Amino acid sequence: MPRLVTISRFLISLAVFSLSCTGIATAQDRRQNAPGDFDFYVLSLSWSPSFCEAASERGNNGRGTQAQCGGRPFSFVVHGLWPQYERGFPEYCERPSPRLARNIMTSMLDLMPAPGLIYNEWDKHGTCSGLGERAYFETIRKARAAVKIPDEFLQLSEPKTIAPDDLEAAFIKANPGLSSSAIAVTCDSQRLGEVRICLSKDLQFRSCEEIDRRACRRDQVLMPPMRGG
């Protein structure tokens, strides 16, 4: 008899657990990957010299890497403009994604200097924006124009070691209205990776706790110099 009671309790607990999991899934799925249904954007600015050094160390000399890491001295480049939820984010919201027109891709090479990156950003993130392909990339251009890169990082000719907090402070100083709760720095084991800035749907700076929590926790990061520096 006690064994039957134990089994019954187990089955009841399992049923309750299953129902709770279903409820969680429903809450997540209600707008999961629904194009245009998100809370804010993250503009991700990649420090190109770090990307190129890491690619070289891995022996990655593919066409996409060559496009970004060739002769032009790129500094911060746009990695992407990513729709976000307050917790988590949508991705690949249309499968298959609408084919991105080549002329739109080429029009973005000044900001995103790798064709493969542009196509991937459209497939993974652009399809979640609720915008058509041309409107999405125009929004990327507007978002990038809304952020001023601090002057000291525009022509970096020597390696620079900097605290992530100081890098954030430089961006905050250069961009009135930007606060520490709306920007995060990422890094690998030694180098600066990206500066991520949170923007509302109308491209105003806004706070983003989850992005800030995933920021680099190192005391200092290395900024390799721009190519040709």
Side-chain angles (χ1 to χ4, degrees):
M1 188 69 173
R3 184 180 177 185
L4 291 174
V5 172
T6 300
I7 293 173
S8 297
R9 287 175 176 171
F10 170 76
L11 291 174
I12 291 170
S13 298
L14 182 61
V16 171
F17 176 75
S18 298
L19 286 171
S20 66
C21 288
T22 301
I24 292 170
T26 300
Q28 291 176 337
D29 292 346
R30 187 163 58 245
R31 65 170 187 173
Q32 184 69 29
N33 296 336
D37 194 358
F38 61 95
D39 297 315
F40 64 97
Y41 287 114
V42 169
L43 176 66
S44 180
L45 301 173
S46 172
W47 182 245
S48 183
S50 291
F51 168 81
C52 293
E53 278 201 3
S56 177
E57 291 170 0
R58 295 191 303 268
N60 182 356
N61 295 310
R63 291 177 62 186
T65 302
Q66 291 174 4
Q68 183 170 338
C69 303
R72 289 186 62 185
F74 290 108
S75 55
F76 280 106
V77 299
V78 175
H79 181 175
L81 183 69
W82 306 333
Q84 300 282 305
Y85 305 136
E86 297 296 347
R87 291 179 176 271
F89 54 89
E91 59 181 1
Y92 298 109
C93 294
E94 294 186 56
R95 289 182 181 273
S97 62
R99 176 67 177 170
L100 178 64
R102 180 176 175 80
N103 67 321
I104 296 177
M105 180 278 291
T106 56
S107 75
M108 296 302 296
L109 288 172
D110 59 324
L111 298 184
M112 306 171 73
L117 168 65
I118 297 169
Y119 284 120
N120 181 71
E121 290 301 297
W122 167 245
D123 292 346
K124 186 174 183 178
H125 301 290
T127 57
C128 298
S129 68
L131 302 172
E133 55 185 22
R134 188 171 300 278
Y136 173 66
F137 285 100
E138 287 175 353
T139 302
I140 290 181
R141 192 168 291 281
K142 290 176 183 177
R144 173 61 186 84
V147 176
K148 182 180 183 342
I149 305 297
D151 291 341
E152 58 264 42
F153 307 131
L154 293 177
Q155 299 291 335
L156 191 66
S157 60
E158 299 290 338
K160 182 179 181 66
T161 301
I162 187 171
D165 285 348
D166 291 341
L167 182 59
E168 288 188 9
F171 270 83
I172 291 169
K173 182 179 179 181
N175 292 275
L178 180 63
S179 69
S180 60
S181 64
I183 182 172
V185 171
T186 71
C187 61
D188 60 15
S189 60
Q190 58 176 329
R191 289 180 289 248
L192 168 66
E194 299 180 347
V195 172
R196 295 177 178 174
I197 296 174
C198 299
L199 301 165
S200 63
K201 286 185 174 182
D202 60 355
L203 305 183
Q204 303 299 307
F205 300 127
R206 58 99 79 192
S207 62
C208 47
E209 293 182 5
E210 186 178 49
I211 303 302
D212 200 43
R213 283 197 298 268
R214 296 201 298 263
C216 177
R217 301 304 178 196
R218 298 184 64 81
D219 291 334
Q220 292 188 317
V221 293
L222 173 66
M223 297 180 70
M226 294 166 60
R227 300 181 71 79

